[in-house]
Amino acid sequence: MGEFDLIARYFARGAMAANPDAFGVVLGIGDDCAVLAPTPGHHWLVSADMLVEGRHFLSTVSPRRLGHKALAVNLSDLAACGASPRAFFLSLALPRADEAFLAGFSQGLFELADAHGIVLAGGDTTAGPLNINITVMGETPRGQALLRSGARADDDLWVSGTLGDARLALEVFRGTLSLPGHQFDEVRLRMELPEPRVALGRALRGLATSAIDVSDGLAGDLGHVLARSGVGATLRLADLPRSAVLGAMPQDIQQLCLLSGGDDYELVFTAPAEARERVLAAGRESATPVYRVGRIDAQPGLRVVDGAGRLIEQPLQSFDHFKS
Amino acid sequence: MGEFDLIARYFARGAMAANPDAFGVVLGIGDDCAVLAPTPGHHWLVSADMLVEGRHFLSTVSPRRLGHKALAVNLSDLAACGASPRAFFLSLALPRADEAFLAGFSQGLFELADAHGIVLAGGDTTAGPLNINITVMGETPRGQALLRSGARADDDLWVSGTLGDARLALEVFRGTLSLPGHQFDEVRLRMELPEPRVALGRALRGLATSAIDVSDGLAGDLGHVLARSGVGATLRLADLPRSAVLGAMPQDIQQLCLLSGGDDYELVFTAPAEARERVLAAGRESATPVYRVGRIDAQPGLRVVDGAGRLIEQPLQSFDHFKS
């Protein structure tokens, strides 16, 4: 199967060809460039993520889940900016034209694309070591993108969904922890099928002062917001939302998964205290649970406190369970 | 060197940070997404190309030339659509953070980017087998993109520059041919440092009825235009522009390199006969030689004729020199 056949069979779909205009895609796959029509008065938001086996996904993941995840991590960047998804470009290097892989991968990819009304408008395929790059484009009304740089002292600090399950699943794969099968299935879903918080991001436009998605761990990603905004934060560990599975684990495991668990793809965002009711309404409107977990401080640095408000020293220290 | 250091040292440059607004890039590297401001009344043209060692470049290429070529092949897609380059996104998988490679690669990349006024607005870096993906964005006034689908019967068929040198160089690398050193250097430049015909593409807006860039070989790429336009063509082999080096080779080598040489990155385009003078003026205006090499026919299929107008049977047949 050559490159053109592969594209025609798995990636050039009816839905886009049939009604590309609905998405501002004037011309999709099949020319030197795609032609996109930006919405007047809007900014374009663009992000790219490259996924490599062993680093961003395990060889054990199903092609369908991999197709989902490759797009999900990119949609999550749009979500963090409050953007409405519009179009994406897929570049795919494959060791060989494996039809079972392509059928599953494209199915997972398009299921998520359809759920978010985003169109595959072009890309590239080549032979080579497995590599997936997606460049994603969305829009916000001009000047309304949520950025990392807008957090202000005394803002509330918020988190969506639950944190840490993907890291918990990774540790089971690594063999440092074990879980009963049904619990493993549950946290593995969070690792392999993350749900980008696109609807929440959009609902937070004009409301949140800053936002970021948690891809490298809460502490690290929040650190980017603090650095770009020139502020610090106090984070209440006990208030961080977690699943029942993670909540039943020893405290040190919980702490590390909550603060350093990558691949959560939840949103961390800040908003003025007077906007609390509206933030809760945005959560309801987007069917996404949101939790107030701390406060932005004028004093730089991240302080993690326990349920009694006492500072936790070295909150990111690793723990014995993973060393045994 | 971690990912953030690598980006800061080699890819987050002053020029962009200093005056991003000049290019419509409101916010570049450093947030979840880049923020781009489309020019009112314009369409966005987007293309992506993924480069893999051994398939798109040889391990012998210098990092500086590779940085040039990775962007050049993408700019060539914008050129083929008549677009003005605006922003690009680079995703780079590297086996290790090799500073000599990164210094050369980024130098070649930015030299070409600066020459075309295009801004690196974001991307991704990761550890993994060497892989370079660039997604490039440009603009045309709404509805003025040059497409593959517009060729009409009796249009002239045009080619820019010269064809076939990159293929000639590849055959020397493969060991199927040999050339004196200075001649090899000359054709190797065409393979490793292609010059995207951006200025010509822009000058052809509103003038050419169709266009494509030659990346897979003239016959194959012209075939895409014919298929999308629902027409055929007669190509005059003797009129195809070629370098002095290629012109001194045996006829069968010339023919294969001209018709099937990939990596030329010249433009092939069509225009009505009454536009001949304006096409020549567009070539002068963009300092790009252009040659009339054939005619579009209502009858489907590609016909290659010799200097006397006689049909050449099986013009893409391979030749003995490469078999010996």
Side-chain angles (χ1 to χ4, degrees), chain B:
Chain B
M1 185 168 50
E3 178 179 356
F4 299 115
D5 291 338
L6 186 160
I7 294 169
R9 187 166 319 169
Y10 296 106
F11 296 111
R13 296 194 320 160
M16 191 210 63
N19 190 15
D21 290 314
F23 305 100
V25 178
V26 179
L27 182 70
I29 295 169
D31 214 293
D32 291 283
C33 294
V35 183
L36 308 178
T39 307
H42 282 57
H43 276 152
W44 273 81
L45 287 285
V46 184
S47 184
D49 274 302
M50 179 172 268
L51 277 68
V52 172
E53 186 172 320
R55 196 166 171 89
H56 303 94
F57 58 91
L58 303 175
S59 59
T60 48
V61 70
S62 79
R64 186 171 166 188
R65 289 187 176 186
L66 182 57
H68 172 105
K69 183 163 181 175
L71 182 57
V73 302
N74 279 282
L75 286 173
S76 185
D77 285 316
L78 290 182
C81 290
S84 303
R86 290 286 179 255
F88 70 103
F89 292 76
L90 167 69
S91 295
L92 188 59
L94 289 172
R96 59 200 172 83
D98 175 338
E99 303 221 22
F101 175 88
L102 283 163
F105 181 86
S106 60
Q107 183 186 359
L109 184 81
F110 283 123
E111 282 168 353
L112 188 65
D114 291 346
H116 289 278
I118 190 168
V119 174
L120 178 62
D124 197 11
T125 57
T126 180
L130 182 56
N131 185 304
I132 305 160
N133 187 81
I134 289 181
T135 305
V136 76
M137 290 163 216
E139 290 184 314
T140 66
R142 199 168 269 252
Q144 287 191 31
L146 305 178
L147 302 178
R148 298 177 179 179
S149 51
R152 296 292 170 258
D154 301 322
D155 278 355
D156 290 329
L157 183 59
W158 297 80
V159 164
S160 69
T162 61
L163 297 172
D165 280 357
R167 174 65 186 268
L168 198 54
L170 181 63
E171 294 302 333
V172 175
F173 273 113
R174 284 175 172 166
T176 56
L177 288 173
S178 67
L179 283 176
H182 64 285
Q183 293 192 349
F184 176 53
D185 289 345
E186 195 180 318
V187 295
R188 183 180 181 172
L189 269 179
R190 289 299 308 268
M191 183 174 107
E192 296 184 346
L193 280 178
E195 280 304 329
R197 299 301 196 181
V198 174
L200 174 63
R202 219 158 23 197
L204 291 173
R205 275 186 209 155
L207 197 54
T209 49
S210 74
I212 193 170
D213 69 320
V214 182
S215 55
D216 295 332
L218 174 61
D221 290 321
L222 176 56
H224 296 312
V225 170
L226 303 183
R228 302 273 296 191
S229 298
V231 294
T234 302
L235 189 63
R236 298 186 299 270
L237 186 62
D239 291 347
L240 289 179
R242 66 205 78 183
S243 70
V245 176
L246 181 59
M249 302 296 287
Q251 280 300 327
D252 52 354
I253 293 185
Q254 290 191 45
Q255 186 170 322
L256 199 77
C257 288
L258 290 168
L259 295 176
S260 312
D263 271 4
D264 289 318
Y265 301 104
E266 296 293 352
L267 296 189
V268 185
F269 57 97
T270 58
E274 59 267 28
R276 266 175 211 172
E277 283 309 314
R278 284 185 292 152
V279 170
L280 291 169
R284 286 191 299 273
E285 180 193 319
S286 59
T288 311
V290 292
Y291 304 94
R292 206 151 46 82
V293 298
R295 185 190 69 233
I296 296 296
D297 307 320
Q299 184 194 348
L302 174 61
R303 286 157 293 280
V304 181
V305 298
D306 65 16
R310 283 183 303 253
L311 199 65
I312 300 174
E313 302 288 344
Q314 300 184 290
L316 296 178
Q317 212 169 24
S318 74
F319 43 92
D320 289 340
H321 300 80
F322 289 180
K323 288 178 185 158
S324 65

Side-chain angles (χ1 to χ4, degrees), chain A residues 9-175:
Chain A
R9 187 166 319 169
Y10 295 107
F11 296 113
R13 293 193 324 159
M16 191 210 66
N19 190 14
D21 290 315
F23 306 101
V25 177
V26 179
L27 183 70
I29 295 168
D31 214 294
D32 291 285
C33 294
V35 183
L36 308 179
T39 307
H42 282 58
H43 276 151
W44 273 79
L45 286 286
V46 185
S47 183
D49 273 302
M50 181 172 265
L51 276 69
V52 173
E53 186 172 320
R55 198 167 170 88
H56 302 96
F57 58 92
L58 303 176
S59 59
T60 48
V61 71
S62 79
R64 186 170 166 189
R65 288 187 177 186
L66 182 58
H68 172 106
K69 185 164 181 175
L71 181 57
V73 304
N74 279 282
L75 286 173
S76 185
D77 285 316
L78 289 182
C81 290
S84 303
R86 289 287 180 256
F88 70 103
F89 292 75
L90 167 70
S91 295
L92 188 59
L94 288 173
R96 58 198 172 84
D98 176 336
E99 302 221 22
F101 176 87
L102 283 162
F105 181 85
S106 59
Q107 183 185 359
L109 184 82
F110 282 124
E111 282 168 353
L112 187 66
D114 290 347
H116 290 278
I118 190 168
V119 173
L120 177 62
D124 196 9
T125 57
T126 181
L130 183 57
N131 186 303
I132 305 161
N133 187 81
I134 288 180
T135 305
V136 77
M137 291 162 214
E139 291 184 313
T140 66
R142 202 167 266 253
Q144 287 192 29
L146 305 178
L147 302 177
R148 298 178 178 178
S149 51
R152 297 293 169 258
D154 301 322
D155 278 355
D156 291 329
L157 183 60
W158 297 80
V159 165
S160 68
T162 61
L163 298 171
D165 280 358
R167 175 66 186 270
L168 197 54
L170 181 63
E171 294 302 333
V172 175
F173 274 113
R174 284 174 172 166

Side-chain angles (χ1 to χ4, degrees), chain A residues 157 222 226 231-235 294-304:
Chain A
L157 183 60
L222 176 57
L226 303 183
V231 294
T234 302
L235 189 62
R295 188 190 66 231
I296 296 296
D297 307 321
Q299 184 194 348
L302 174 61
R303 288 158 291 283
V304 181

